[in-house]
Amino acid sequence: ASTLGAAAAEKGRYFGAAVAANHLGESDYAATLDREFNSVTPENEMKWDAVERTRNSFTFGSADQIVSHAQGKGMKVRGHTLVWHSQLPGWVGGLAAGDLRSAMNNHITKVMQHYQGRIAAWDVVNEAFQDGNSGARRSSPFQDKIGNGFIEEAFRTARAADPAAKLCYNDYNTDGQNAKSNAVYAMVRDFKARGVPIDCVGFQSHFNSQSPVPGDYQQNLQRFADLGVDVQITELDIEGSGTAQADSYRRVVQACLAVSRCTGITVWGVTDKYSWRASGTPLLFDNNYGKKAAYTSVLSAL
Ligand code: XIL
């Protein structure tokens, strides 16, 4: 196949990109997206501050634009993200425990019902664990006020809101085996043992020279898959350039393809021009939408 999406589809996978609604009107951006990718993740448009800036008043305009674009092209959509400590409006953190719990459940329910049947997988909870060796939960309004049970509650609420959507836990620095990924692993194992609904684990995979593709990436994906969940590479970008970057991208694709339950890869942007990593060139297309060495390497690995 001659595009990322078609090549991934031949392997039973999808190949997606994070998309920003405000770039869809740029013809090269839309043409590259539509030609190469068969899944999209709204980069910011479904986050809490975008869809419920004011309590119980929902604004879906920009997110709807992305979902309609994707649907029109037959692309899958990953919903990102329902419960996260960041890009959270101030009013949420100001609520007392009981009220926060209802606000969280209301948010999950309203957002998922709005998109019912149109989202393949939701990142229900994003980045709930700390970095470092503690394996502890990260401080957030949800963690600090509702307690450890907030993740389970979010997943149960999500299942009820849209039973057809796959429900994922998503995080970063969990790509290799370490204290943080061990803590996520223990949570997923516990959820599966107790029948808490969870279908997939997302590995963000933001890599750079300080945090390269781990040597045990494939093994780590496999141990999660062995728990009975799908795994997905959800926010891939790799700082660098040339052959080194291309080799790292190839290793990511090979690791996913080697794990039968690794169902797809999403890069965190279409082009270096709009990468959130403003200082770098971490994506597959350059500022002029030219195919980089990393692109060729991914396509031939697929
Ligand atoms: C980033 C977006 O790319 C930026 O545009 C925004 O300013 C901040 O968030 N982990 C995630 C993503 O789960 O939502 C983040 O996206 C990158 C890190």
Side-chain angles (χ1 to χ4, degrees):
S2 62
T3 66
L4 302 171
E10 285 179 355
K11 296 287 167 69
R13 270 75 170 192
Y14 64 83
F15 205 97
V19 165
N22 61 332
H23 300 318
L24 287 174
E26 186 181 323
S27 58
D28 287 345
Y29 182 94
T32 306
L33 171 66
D34 296 349
R35 187 185 72 233
E36 296 287 343
F37 299 95
N38 55 10
S39 173
V40 300
T41 305
E43 185 171 358
N44 289 297
E45 291 79 351
M46 286 183 177
K47 291 172 180 175
W48 197 313
D49 64 354
V51 298
E52 193 188 6
R53 175 164 283 284
T54 303
R55 189 171 186 179
N56 208 30
S57 160
F58 290 85
T59 47
F60 292 115
S62 302
D64 284 355
Q65 238 185 294
I66 295 175
V67 173
S68 315
H69 184 97
Q71 273 197 302
K73 306 289 175 190
M75 300 169 176
K76 288 180 192 290
V77 183
R78 294 194 84 262
H80 177 77
T81 173
L82 296 164
V83 182
W84 187 28
H85 65 277
S86 187
Q87 292 177 271
L88 191 63
W91 65 264
V92 181
L95 302 178
D99 213 9
L100 176 63
R101 203 169 157 186
S102 351
M104 179 185 83
N105 289 324
N106 184 57
H107 180 80
I108 293 169
T109 303
K110 296 278 171 61
V111 176
M112 288 185 76
Q113 285 179 348
H114 179 78
Y115 290 110
Q116 196 150 31
R118 292 189 285 167
I119 305 287
W122 271 104
D123 290 330
V124 178
V125 175
N126 195 32
E127 302 182 353
F129 287 83
Q130 275 180 37
D131 291 317
N133 292 323
S134 71
R137 294 290 187 82
R138 175 196 296 276
S139 171
S140 71
F142 310 106
Q143 179 65 35
D144 301 348
K145 292 179 184 171
I146 304 173
N148 280 341
F150 91 88
I151 302 183
E152 171 170 354
E153 179 149 349
F155 276 84
R156 290 190 186 280
T157 300
R159 181 66 93 222
D162 182 358
K166 300 292 186 195
L167 307 181
C168 304
Y169 176 79
N170 191 54
D171 215 327
Y172 69 94
N173 282 350
T174 50
D175 312 295
Q177 302 200 34
N178 56 41
K180 187 175 177 181
S181 66
N182 288 345
V184 175
Y185 180 85
M187 177 187 76
V188 175
R189 189 177 50 192
D190 170 60
F191 279 14
K192 293 302 284 183
R194 291 190 299 110
V196 179
I198 183 166
D199 306 304
C200 36
V201 176
F203 298 83
Q204 292 185 10
S205 304
H206 294 292
F207 296 126
N208 56 30
S209 54
Q210 274 77 56
S211 166
V213 181
D216 59 358
Y217 194 41
Q218 179 186 325
Q219 274 172 276
N220 189 50
L221 297 174
Q222 186 66 58
R223 72 169 173 152
F224 278 87
D226 289 343
L227 292 174
V229 289
D230 287 342
V231 296
Q232 302 171 345
I233 311 303
T234 53
E235 304 185 13
L236 178 63
D237 53 15
I238 308 179
E239 287 186 343
S241 60
T243 310
Q245 182 180 49
D247 285 347
S248 296
Y249 265 104
R250 179 179 39 74
R251 290 185 45 221
V252 171
V253 172
Q254 287 173 340
C256 180
L257 291 181
V259 175
S260 59
R261 293 198 75 150
C262 183
T263 57
I265 298 175
T266 299
V267 287
W268 204 241
V270 172
T271 160
D272 284 346
K273 186 178 178 185
Y274 299 127
S275 168
W276 73 303
R277 300 181 130 188
S279 62
T281 52
L283 294 169
L284 302 178
F285 291 89
D286 67 22
N287 291 339
N288 301 312
Y289 299 93
K291 295 171 178 173
K292 295 166 60 179
Y295 171 93
T296 310
S297 164
V298 167
L299 185 62
S300 60
L302 279 169

